[in-house]
Amino acid sequence: MTAESTSVLVDIRKYDGSLSAQWTATRLGEDEHGVWLGTAQGVDVSSDTGGWTSRFASVMLVPRGEWWTATFCMDPGPEMYCDVCTVPEWNADGTVLHTVDL
């Protein structure tokens, strides 16, 4: 993944391959915990059942080689959301994140 990548397409699928959620986030940086992505309030989110607009800003931690992601939300969202998923995978240039929600 390249450090120049700032816009990331987050693509979360269901186990059957259908779209669970997809949105564009901003790559904030990377540290010993993994890659950090930010999503502003009001970002469009797509799914196979329709779409919505994010109600709150959040920061998502995408750890390396782990079967989960963690999202830290601003009010009025939940304080934290942990998603059990397949190990997150990045495309070659770090602009698309794929995972399957378990």
Side-chain angles (χ1 to χ4, degrees), residues 3 7 24 30-31 36 41 43-44 60 73 79 82 90 95-96:
S7 184
T24 300
E30 185 170 354
D31 63 13
W36 295 88
Q41 182 179 13
V43 168
D44 290 331
M60 179 182 197
C73 307
E79 187 172 329
C82 186
W90 295 91
T95 60
V96 180

Side-chain angles (χ1 to χ4, degrees), residues 47-58:
S47 80
D48 67 342
T49 59
W52 64 91
T53 301
S54 62
R55 295 176 295 134
F56 43 82
S58 63

Side-chain angles (χ1 to χ4, degrees), residues 26-98:
T26 301
R27 187 178 189 279
L28 302 174
E30 185 170 354
D31 63 13
E32 68 273 14
H33 303 291
V35 176
W36 295 88
L37 303 176
T39 301
Q41 182 179 13
V43 168
D44 290 331
V45 180
S46 301
S47 80
D48 67 342
T49 59
W52 64 91
T53 301
S54 62
R55 295 176 295 134
F56 43 82
S58 63
V59 174
M60 179 182 197
L61 170 60
V62 183
R64 291 175 211 83
E66 300 292 339
W67 288 72
W68 57 270
T69 60
T71 302
F72 305 90
C73 307
M74 298 291 294
D75 285 335
E79 187 172 329
M80 187 183 116
Y81 175 79
C82 186
D83 189 14
V84 177
C85 58
T86 58
V87 174
E89 297 178 359
W90 295 91
N91 71 338
D93 66 0
T95 60
V96 180
L97 171 68
H98 295 282

